[in-house]
Amino acid sequence: MHIRFWGTRGSLAKAGPTTLRYGGNTSCVEVSMADGALIIFDCGTGAHGLGQVLMASGKRPIDGHLLITHTHWDHIQGFPFFAPLFIPGNTWDIYAPGGLGNRLEETLAGQMEYTYFPVTLEQLGATIRFHDLVEGTFDLHGGRVTARYLNHPALALGYRLDVGGVSVVYATDHEPHTRDQSHAVDPNASPSRALEVHREEQGHMAFLSQADLVIHDAQYTAAEYPQKVGWGHSTVEYAVDVALAAQVKRLALFHHDPLRDDAAVDRLVDLGRQRVATRGGTLEVFAAAEGQVVELPEVGQSPARPVTHTAVDVEASATAHAAVTILIVDDEPDIVRLLQVTLRPEGFRLLAAHDGETALQMARTERPSLLLMDWQMPGRDGLEVCRALRAETDPQLRDMPVVLLTAQSKNEHVEAGFAAGVTDYLTKPFYPAYVRSRVREWLLRKRVETP
Ligand SMILES: [Zn+2]
Ligand SMILES: [Zn+2]
Protein backbone atom coordinates (compact mmCIF):
# COMPACT_ATOMS: atom_id res chain seq x y z
CA MET A 1 0.00 0.00 0.00
CA HIS A 2 1.35 3.33 -1.12
CA ILE A 3 0.06 6.44 0.66
CA ARG A 4 0.75 9.98 -0.45
CA PHE A 5 -0.40 13.20 1.19
CA TRP A 6 -1.67 15.80 -1.29
CA GLY A 7 -3.35 18.10 1.21
CA THR A 8 -2.79 18.17 4.98
CA ARG A 9 -4.25 21.52 6.00
CA GLY A 10 -7.57 21.87 7.77
CA SER A 11 -10.37 24.40 7.40
CA LEU A 12 -8.75 26.69 4.82
CA ALA A 13 -6.03 26.37 2.19
CA LYS A 14 -3.00 28.32 3.39
CA ALA A 15 -0.39 28.68 0.70
CA GLY A 16 2.67 30.81 1.37
CA PRO A 17 6.11 30.96 2.89
CA THR A 18 4.93 29.93 6.39
CA THR A 19 3.55 26.55 5.25
CA LEU A 20 6.16 25.39 2.76
CA ARG A 21 7.21 22.20 4.55
CA TYR A 22 3.86 20.83 5.72
CA GLY A 23 1.87 22.29 2.84
CA GLY A 24 -1.05 24.62 2.42
CA ASN A 25 -3.58 22.50 0.52
CA THR A 26 -6.63 21.07 2.26
CA SER A 27 -7.40 17.40 2.92
CA CYS A 28 -6.56 14.88 0.23
CA VAL A 29 -4.75 11.56 0.67
CA GLU A 30 -3.99 9.07 -2.09
CA VAL A 31 -3.85 5.35 -1.36
CA SER A 32 -2.71 2.99 -4.10
CA MET A 33 -3.12 -0.70 -3.46
CA ALA A 34 -0.67 -3.30 -4.67
CA ASP A 35 -3.23 -4.48 -7.26
CA GLY A 36 -3.30 -0.96 -8.74
CA ALA A 37 -6.63 0.13 -7.27
CA LEU A 38 -6.74 3.81 -6.43
CA ILE A 39 -8.50 5.12 -3.34
CA ILE A 40 -8.60 8.77 -2.37
CA PHE A 41 -9.56 10.07 1.05
CA ASP A 42 -11.25 13.48 0.71
CA CYS A 43 -11.14 15.94 -2.13
CA GLY A 44 -9.83 19.22 -0.70
CA THR A 45 -7.64 21.53 -2.75
CA GLY A 46 -4.83 18.94 -2.65
CA ALA A 47 -6.82 16.91 -5.19
CA HIS A 48 -5.83 19.38 -7.92
CA GLY A 49 -2.17 18.31 -7.81
CA LEU A 50 -3.09 14.64 -7.62
CA GLY A 51 -5.35 14.99 -10.67
CA GLN A 52 -2.56 16.64 -12.65
CA VAL A 53 -0.12 13.84 -11.84
CA LEU A 54 -2.66 11.14 -12.73
CA MET A 55 -3.34 12.85 -16.06
CA ALA A 56 0.38 13.16 -16.83
CA SER A 57 0.98 9.48 -16.01
CA GLY A 58 -0.43 8.50 -19.42
CA LYS A 59 -2.46 5.72 -17.83
CA ARG A 60 -5.95 5.39 -19.30
CA PRO A 61 -8.58 4.99 -18.15
CA ILE A 62 -8.02 6.68 -14.77
CA ASP A 63 -10.55 5.02 -12.49
CA GLY A 64 -10.79 5.31 -8.74
CA HIS A 65 -12.76 5.48 -5.53
CA LEU A 66 -13.19 8.76 -3.73
CA LEU A 67 -14.09 8.40 -0.04
CA ILE A 68 -15.32 11.71 1.35
CA THR A 69 -15.55 12.16 5.14
CA HIS A 70 -18.10 14.98 4.92
CA THR A 71 -18.94 17.87 2.68
CA HIS A 72 -17.42 20.81 4.59
CA TRP A 73 -15.57 22.98 2.07
CA ASP A 74 -12.05 21.95 3.02
CA HIS A 75 -12.92 18.36 2.05
CA ILE A 76 -14.61 18.95 -1.32
CA GLN A 77 -13.19 22.16 -2.78
CA GLY A 78 -10.80 20.27 -5.01
CA PHE A 79 -13.62 18.21 -6.52
CA PRO A 80 -14.40 20.57 -9.45
CA PHE A 81 -10.64 20.82 -10.13
CA PHE A 82 -9.89 17.10 -10.15
CA ALA A 83 -9.01 16.59 -13.82
CA PRO A 84 -9.78 12.83 -14.18
CA LEU A 85 -13.47 13.62 -13.62
CA PHE A 86 -13.58 15.57 -16.89
CA ILE A 87 -12.36 12.72 -19.11
CA PRO A 88 -14.87 10.40 -20.84
CA GLY A 89 -13.98 6.77 -20.32
CA ASN A 90 -12.93 7.24 -16.69
CA THR A 91 -15.13 5.80 -13.94
CA TRP A 92 -15.25 7.24 -10.43
CA ASP A 93 -17.09 5.86 -7.45
CA ILE A 94 -17.76 8.57 -4.90
CA TYR A 95 -18.72 7.72 -1.34
CA ALA A 96 -19.81 9.97 1.52
CA PRO A 97 -22.12 9.83 4.51
CA GLY A 98 -25.67 9.97 3.29
CA GLY A 99 -29.10 9.33 4.54
CA LEU A 100 -32.06 11.25 5.81
CA GLY A 101 -32.53 12.84 2.43
CA ASN A 102 -29.30 14.80 2.27
CA ARG A 103 -27.87 13.18 -0.80
CA LEU A 104 -24.26 13.42 -1.83
CA GLU A 105 -24.91 14.18 -5.46
CA GLU A 106 -27.05 17.22 -4.63
CA THR A 107 -24.44 18.57 -2.24
CA LEU A 108 -21.57 18.24 -4.71
CA ALA A 109 -23.73 19.69 -7.48
CA GLY A 110 -24.49 22.62 -5.16
CA GLN A 111 -20.91 23.88 -5.10
CA MET A 112 -20.82 23.61 -8.92
CA GLU A 113 -23.89 25.73 -9.55
CA TYR A 114 -23.49 28.59 -12.03
CA THR A 115 -23.02 31.15 -9.24
CA TYR A 116 -19.89 29.38 -8.02
CA PHE A 117 -18.41 27.48 -10.92
CA PRO A 118 -18.62 27.49 -14.75
CA VAL A 119 -19.01 23.72 -15.25
CA THR A 120 -21.93 21.83 -13.75
CA LEU A 121 -21.75 18.35 -12.28
CA GLU A 122 -23.70 16.88 -15.21
CA GLN A 123 -21.12 18.21 -17.65
CA LEU A 124 -18.28 16.13 -16.18
CA GLY A 125 -17.13 13.61 -18.79
CA ALA A 126 -16.32 10.67 -16.55
CA THR A 127 -18.88 8.12 -15.45
CA ILE A 128 -19.60 9.00 -11.83
CA ARG A 129 -21.40 6.69 -9.43
CA PHE A 130 -22.53 8.12 -6.12
CA HIS A 131 -22.79 6.02 -2.98
CA ASP A 132 -24.51 7.28 0.16
CA LEU A 133 -22.86 5.53 3.07
CA VAL A 134 -23.86 4.72 6.59
CA GLU A 135 -21.61 3.26 9.25
CA GLY A 136 -20.48 -0.24 8.37
CA THR A 137 -18.16 -2.34 6.27
CA PHE A 138 -17.84 -3.11 2.59
CA ASP A 139 -15.35 -4.74 0.24
CA LEU A 140 -13.39 -2.70 -2.26
CA HIS A 141 -11.16 -4.58 -4.71
CA GLY A 142 -8.98 -6.82 -2.55
CA GLY A 143 -9.49 -4.66 0.53
CA ARG A 144 -12.12 -3.97 3.08
CA VAL A 145 -13.37 -0.53 4.05
CA THR A 146 -14.88 0.16 7.46
CA ALA A 147 -16.73 3.43 7.89
CA ARG A 148 -17.43 4.88 11.32
CA TYR A 149 -19.16 8.09 12.38
CA LEU A 150 -16.88 10.72 13.82
CA ASN A 151 -17.79 13.40 16.36
CA HIS A 152 -18.18 16.53 14.28
CA PRO A 153 -20.80 19.25 13.81
CA ALA A 154 -21.64 17.67 10.44
CA LEU A 155 -22.37 14.01 9.78
CA ALA A 156 -18.84 12.74 9.09
CA LEU A 157 -17.36 9.29 8.48
CA GLY A 158 -13.85 8.10 9.19
CA TYR A 159 -12.51 5.30 6.97
CA ARG A 160 -10.37 2.30 7.73
CA LEU A 161 -8.86 0.34 4.87
CA ASP A 162 -7.58 -3.18 5.53
CA VAL A 163 -5.79 -4.81 2.63
CA GLY A 164 -3.07 -7.41 2.29
CA GLY A 165 -2.46 -7.60 6.02
CA VAL A 166 -1.94 -3.86 6.46
CA SER A 167 -4.33 -1.18 7.60
CA VAL A 168 -4.64 2.56 7.36
CA VAL A 169 -7.22 4.69 9.16
CA TYR A 170 -8.27 8.12 7.99
CA ALA A 171 -10.00 9.88 10.89
CA THR A 172 -10.17 13.60 10.46
CA ASP A 173 -12.65 16.19 11.65
CA HIS A 174 -13.29 14.44 14.91
CA GLU A 175 -13.57 15.88 18.41
CA PRO A 176 -13.07 13.97 21.68
CA HIS A 177 -16.38 12.67 22.97
CA THR A 178 -15.52 13.99 26.40
CA ARG A 179 -15.46 17.73 26.72
CA ASP A 180 -13.14 17.88 29.72
CA GLN A 181 -9.64 17.46 28.29
CA SER A 182 -7.92 19.39 31.09
CA HIS A 183 -5.92 16.32 32.21
CA ALA A 184 -4.08 16.37 28.89
CA VAL A 185 -2.44 19.75 29.53
CA ASP A 186 -0.04 18.01 31.94
CA PRO A 187 2.35 15.91 29.82
CA ASN A 188 2.89 13.49 32.70
CA ALA A 189 -0.77 12.95 33.51
CA SER A 190 -2.26 9.63 32.54
CA PRO A 191 -4.83 9.58 29.75
CA SER A 192 -8.37 10.42 30.61
CA ARG A 193 -10.40 7.64 32.11
CA ALA A 194 -13.01 8.80 29.63
CA LEU A 195 -11.26 6.58 27.09
CA GLU A 196 -12.27 3.64 29.27
CA VAL A 197 -15.76 4.69 30.31
CA HIS A 198 -17.22 6.45 27.28
CA ARG A 199 -18.71 3.95 24.82
CA GLU A 200 -18.08 6.20 21.87
CA GLU A 201 -14.40 6.55 22.80
CA GLN A 202 -14.18 2.77 22.99
CA GLY A 203 -15.78 2.53 19.57
CA HIS A 204 -13.29 5.04 18.19
CA MET A 205 -10.36 3.06 19.60
CA ALA A 206 -11.70 -0.20 18.20
CA PHE A 207 -11.89 1.55 14.83
CA LEU A 208 -8.19 2.51 15.13
CA SER A 209 -7.16 -0.79 16.68
CA GLN A 210 -3.64 -1.97 15.76
CA ALA A 211 -3.58 0.00 12.53
CA ASP A 212 -0.24 0.38 10.78
CA LEU A 213 -0.97 4.03 10.11
CA VAL A 214 -3.58 6.35 11.58
CA ILE A 215 -4.06 9.73 9.92
CA HIS A 216 -5.80 11.66 12.69
CA ASP A 217 -7.18 15.11 13.23
CA ALA A 218 -4.78 17.02 15.51
CA GLN A 219 -5.74 20.60 14.80
CA TYR A 220 -5.39 21.89 18.35
CA THR A 221 -3.47 21.34 21.56
CA ALA A 222 -5.05 20.52 24.91
CA ALA A 223 -4.10 24.03 26.08
CA GLU A 224 -6.02 25.58 23.17
CA TYR A 225 -8.98 23.21 23.40
CA PRO A 226 -11.14 25.07 25.97
CA GLN A 227 -11.53 27.86 23.38
CA LYS A 228 -12.30 25.36 20.61
CA VAL A 229 -14.93 23.13 22.20
CA GLY A 230 -17.64 22.30 19.70
CA TRP A 231 -15.51 23.11 16.65
CA GLY A 232 -15.25 19.40 15.85
CA HIS A 233 -11.51 18.81 16.09
CA SER A 234 -9.04 16.82 18.15
CA THR A 235 -6.02 17.81 20.15
CA VAL A 236 -2.57 16.34 19.59
CA GLU A 237 -2.70 14.90 23.09
CA TYR A 238 -6.02 13.12 22.47
CA ALA A 239 -4.81 11.78 19.11
CA VAL A 240 -1.71 10.36 20.81
CA ASP A 241 -3.71 8.92 23.72
CA VAL A 242 -6.23 7.10 21.54
CA ALA A 243 -3.50 5.87 19.19
CA LEU A 244 -1.48 4.52 22.13
CA ALA A 245 -4.50 2.88 23.69
CA ALA A 246 -5.44 1.34 20.33
CA GLN A 247 -1.87 0.01 19.85
CA VAL A 248 -1.40 1.87 16.60
CA LYS A 249 2.04 1.72 14.98
CA ARG A 250 2.31 5.13 13.32
CA LEU A 251 0.34 8.31 13.84
CA ALA A 252 0.21 11.09 11.24
CA LEU A 253 -0.99 14.36 12.77
CA PHE A 254 -3.36 15.86 10.21
CA HIS A 255 -5.73 18.76 9.47
CA HIS A 256 -3.16 21.39 10.49
CA ASP A 257 -4.65 24.65 11.61
CA PRO A 258 -4.27 27.40 8.99
CA LEU A 259 -2.82 29.66 11.69
CA ARG A 260 -0.01 27.18 12.42
CA ASP A 261 3.26 27.82 10.54
CA ASP A 262 5.82 25.08 9.90
CA ALA A 263 7.72 25.73 13.13
CA ALA A 264 4.47 25.53 15.10
CA VAL A 265 3.63 22.16 13.48
CA ASP A 266 7.13 20.98 14.48
CA ARG A 267 6.25 21.86 18.07
CA LEU A 268 3.10 19.73 17.84
CA VAL A 269 5.23 16.79 16.73
CA ASP A 270 7.57 17.34 19.71
CA LEU A 271 4.57 17.51 22.02
CA GLY A 272 3.20 14.23 20.64
CA ARG A 273 6.57 12.43 20.78
CA GLN A 274 7.16 13.57 24.36
CA ARG A 275 3.80 12.20 25.34
CA VAL A 276 4.64 8.82 23.79
CA ALA A 277 8.08 8.80 25.48
CA THR A 278 6.54 9.58 28.88
CA ARG A 279 4.39 6.47 28.53
CA GLY A 280 7.26 4.36 27.27
CA GLY A 281 5.29 3.72 24.08
CA THR A 282 6.65 2.76 20.67
CA LEU A 283 4.12 4.74 18.64
CA GLU A 284 5.82 6.71 15.88
CA VAL A 285 4.44 10.26 15.62
CA PHE A 286 4.90 12.64 12.70
CA ALA A 287 2.99 15.48 11.11
CA ALA A 288 1.63 14.73 7.65
CA ALA A 289 3.43 16.84 5.05
CA GLU A 290 2.22 17.57 1.54
CA GLY A 291 4.11 15.36 -0.91
CA GLN A 292 5.16 12.87 1.77
CA VAL A 293 4.91 9.19 0.88
CA VAL A 294 4.36 6.32 3.31
CA GLU A 295 4.85 2.76 2.07
CA LEU A 296 3.12 -0.08 3.89
CA PRO A 297 4.11 -3.34 2.17
CA GLU A 298 1.16 -5.67 1.72
CA VAL A 299 2.19 -8.95 3.20
CA GLY A 300 -0.72 -11.31 2.90
CA GLN A 301 -4.42 -11.68 3.24
CA SER A 302 -6.50 -9.11 5.05
CA PRO A 303 -7.44 -10.19 8.56
CA ALA A 304 -10.96 -11.47 8.70
CA ARG A 305 -13.03 -8.65 10.16
CA PRO A 306 -16.71 -9.28 10.56
CA VAL A 307 -18.96 -7.56 8.05
CA THR A 308 -21.51 -5.94 10.34
CA HIS A 309 -23.67 -4.87 7.45
CA THR A 310 -23.06 -3.39 4.07
CA ALA A 311 -22.39 0.30 4.34
CA VAL A 312 -23.04 1.17 0.73
CA ASP A 313 -26.17 2.44 -0.92
CA VAL A 314 -28.52 2.16 1.98
CA GLU A 315 -31.48 3.50 0.09
CA ALA A 316 -33.69 2.99 3.10
CA SER A 317 -31.88 5.85 4.75
CA ALA A 318 -33.35 8.25 2.23
CA THR A 319 -36.92 7.59 3.34
CA ALA A 320 -38.97 10.56 4.34
CA HIS A 321 -38.10 12.36 7.54
CA ALA A 322 -41.76 12.61 8.33
CA ALA A 323 -41.65 8.97 9.39
CA VAL A 324 -39.11 9.81 12.09
CA THR A 325 -40.42 10.82 15.51
CA ILE A 326 -38.13 12.32 18.14
CA LEU A 327 -39.21 12.77 21.74
CA ILE A 328 -37.56 15.71 23.53
CA VAL A 329 -37.69 15.59 27.32
CA ASP A 330 -36.48 18.41 29.54
CA ASP A 331 -37.99 20.27 32.48
CA GLU A 332 -36.45 23.50 31.16
CA PRO A 333 -38.80 24.85 28.47
CA ASP A 334 -35.95 26.85 26.89
CA ILE A 335 -33.97 23.69 26.17
CA VAL A 336 -37.00 22.02 24.61
CA ARG A 337 -37.59 25.09 22.46
CA LEU A 338 -33.94 25.26 21.40
CA LEU A 339 -34.00 21.61 20.33
CA GLN A 340 -37.29 22.08 18.50
CA VAL A 341 -35.95 25.09 16.61
CA THR A 342 -32.79 23.16 15.75
CA LEU A 343 -34.50 19.98 14.56
CA ARG A 344 -37.70 21.29 12.98
CA PRO A 345 -36.03 22.28 9.68
CA GLU A 346 -34.91 18.65 9.34
CA GLY A 347 -38.54 17.65 8.93
CA PHE A 348 -38.81 15.32 11.93
CA ARG A 349 -42.01 14.83 13.89
CA LEU A 350 -41.12 16.34 17.26
CA LEU A 351 -42.82 15.51 20.54
CA ALA A 352 -42.06 17.09 23.91
CA ALA A 353 -42.38 16.10 27.55
CA HIS A 354 -41.28 17.98 30.65
CA ASP A 355 -40.90 15.20 33.20
CA GLY A 356 -39.73 11.59 33.30
CA GLU A 357 -43.08 9.95 34.00
CA THR A 358 -44.77 11.59 31.00
CA ALA A 359 -41.71 10.78 28.89
CA LEU A 360 -41.98 7.09 29.70
CA GLN A 361 -45.69 7.00 28.89
CA MET A 362 -45.13 8.82 25.60
CA ALA A 363 -42.24 6.53 24.68
CA ARG A 364 -44.59 3.55 25.15
CA THR A 365 -47.49 5.02 23.18
CA GLU A 366 -45.71 7.03 20.50
CA ARG A 367 -42.66 4.80 20.02
CA PRO A 368 -40.27 7.52 18.89
CA SER A 369 -37.14 6.66 16.89
CA LEU A 370 -35.00 8.61 19.32
CA LEU A 371 -35.24 10.06 22.81
CA LEU A 372 -33.35 13.25 23.65
CA MET A 373 -33.68 13.44 27.43
CA ASP A 374 -32.46 15.58 30.27
CA TRP A 375 -30.73 13.82 33.14
CA GLN A 376 -32.01 15.87 36.07
CA MET A 377 -35.76 16.25 36.19
CA PRO A 378 -38.33 16.30 38.99
CA GLY A 379 -39.82 12.87 39.70
CA ARG A 380 -38.22 10.18 37.57
CA ASP A 381 -34.90 11.42 36.24
CA GLY A 382 -33.36 10.58 32.87
CA LEU A 383 -31.47 7.55 34.19
CA GLU A 384 -34.58 6.05 35.76
CA VAL A 385 -36.53 6.45 32.53
CA CYS A 386 -33.68 4.86 30.63
CA ARG A 387 -33.49 1.90 33.03
CA ALA A 388 -37.25 1.42 32.72
CA LEU A 389 -37.02 1.36 28.92
CA ARG A 390 -34.14 -1.13 28.95
CA ALA A 391 -36.24 -3.45 31.11
CA GLU A 392 -39.07 -3.57 28.55
CA THR A 393 -39.59 -6.79 26.60
CA ASP A 394 -40.62 -5.03 23.39
CA PRO A 395 -37.37 -4.58 21.41
CA GLN A 396 -38.53 -1.28 19.95
CA LEU A 397 -38.62 0.21 23.45
CA ARG A 398 -35.73 -1.78 24.86
CA ASP A 399 -33.35 -0.75 22.08
CA MET A 400 -34.60 2.80 21.57
CA PRO A 401 -31.61 5.16 21.33
CA VAL A 402 -31.55 7.47 24.35
CA VAL A 403 -29.27 10.48 24.17
CA LEU A 404 -28.84 12.10 27.54
CA LEU A 405 -28.64 15.88 27.84
CA THR A 406 -26.41 16.89 30.69
CA ALA A 407 -24.02 19.57 31.87
CA GLN A 408 -22.06 16.87 33.75
CA SER A 409 -19.05 15.50 31.92
CA LYS A 410 -17.21 13.94 34.87
CA ASN A 411 -16.21 10.33 34.36
CA GLU A 412 -18.38 9.08 37.24
CA HIS A 413 -21.44 10.61 35.62
CA VAL A 414 -20.62 9.30 32.17
CA GLU A 415 -20.10 5.84 33.65
CA ALA A 416 -23.38 5.96 35.57
CA GLY A 417 -25.25 6.95 32.41
CA PHE A 418 -23.86 4.14 30.31
CA ALA A 419 -24.53 1.69 33.13
CA ALA A 420 -28.18 2.79 33.03
CA GLY A 421 -28.29 2.00 29.32
CA VAL A 422 -27.86 5.47 27.88
CA THR A 423 -26.79 5.37 24.23
CA ASP A 424 -24.81 8.60 24.10
CA TYR A 425 -24.45 12.07 25.59
CA LEU A 426 -24.98 15.60 24.47
CA THR A 427 -23.15 17.88 26.84
CA LYS A 428 -24.72 21.24 27.66
CA PRO A 429 -24.29 23.87 26.43
CA PHE A 430 -24.64 22.24 23.04
CA TYR A 431 -24.43 23.74 19.60
CA PRO A 432 -27.21 23.34 17.04
CA ALA A 433 -24.91 21.87 14.38
CA TYR A 434 -23.76 19.19 16.85
CA VAL A 435 -27.31 18.34 17.82
CA ARG A 436 -28.19 17.85 14.15
CA SER A 437 -25.21 15.62 13.38
CA ARG A 438 -25.57 13.46 16.53
CA VAL A 439 -29.29 13.01 15.93
CA ARG A 440 -28.73 12.02 12.30
CA GLU A 441 -26.03 9.62 13.37
CA TRP A 442 -28.17 7.85 15.95
CA LEU A 443 -31.16 7.62 13.63
CA LEU A 444 -29.03 6.14 10.86
CA ARG A 445 -27.28 3.71 13.18
CA LYS A 446 -30.60 2.61 14.56
CA ARG A 447 -32.04 2.14 11.11
CA VAL A 448 -29.27 -0.14 9.98
CA GLU A 449 -29.42 -2.27 13.08
CA THR A 450 -33.12 -2.92 12.61
CA PRO A 451 -33.53 -5.37 9.75
ZN1 LIG B 1 -12.05 19.87 7.86
ZN1 LIG C 1 -15.44 19.59 8.98
Side-chain angles (χ1 to χ4, degrees), residues 9-12 26-27 42 69-70 72-75 152 172-173 217 219 232-233 254-255:
R9 194 66 46 181
S11 308
L12 178 73
T26 59
S27 308
D42 274 336
T69 53
H70 63 308
H72 279 161
W73 271 342
D74 51 325
H75 301 260
H152 198 58
T172 191
D173 294 56
D217 188 329
Q219 185 155 353
H233 297 290
F254 192 76
H255 207 271

Side-chain angles (χ1 to χ4, degrees), residues 4-9 21-23 29 213-216 251-256 262 265 269 285-292 294:
R4 182 160 176 179
F5 296 100
W6 291 91
T8 60
R9 194 66 46 181
R21 279 191 291 121
Y22 290 105
V29 180
L213 173 66
V214 169
I215 302 162
H216 202 286
L251 171 67
L253 308 178
F254 192 76
H255 207 271
H256 308 312
D262 286 331
V265 176
V269 176
V285 179
F286 63 98
E290 201 171 306
Q292 182 179 8
V294 178

Side-chain angles (χ1 to χ4, degrees), residues 93-154:
D93 286 283
I94 302 177
Y95 310 76
L100 297 178
N102 187 14
R103 295 181 64 86
L104 170 63
E105 189 173 352
E106 287 165 24
T107 313
L108 287 177
Q111 74 160 352
M112 295 176 76
E113 279 174 16
Y114 178 64
T115 315
Y116 310 108
F117 198 72
V119 181
T120 65
L121 187 69
E122 303 86 71
Q123 289 172 304
L124 294 177
T127 301
I128 298 177
R129 297 185 295 226
F130 292 97
H131 307 274
D132 281 320
L133 295 185
V134 292
E135 200 170 65
T137 305
F138 61 100
D139 289 328
L140 202 57
H141 293 267
R144 175 160 290 182
V145 175
T146 303
R148 177 176 160 79
Y149 289 123
L150 301 173
N151 193 31
H152 198 58

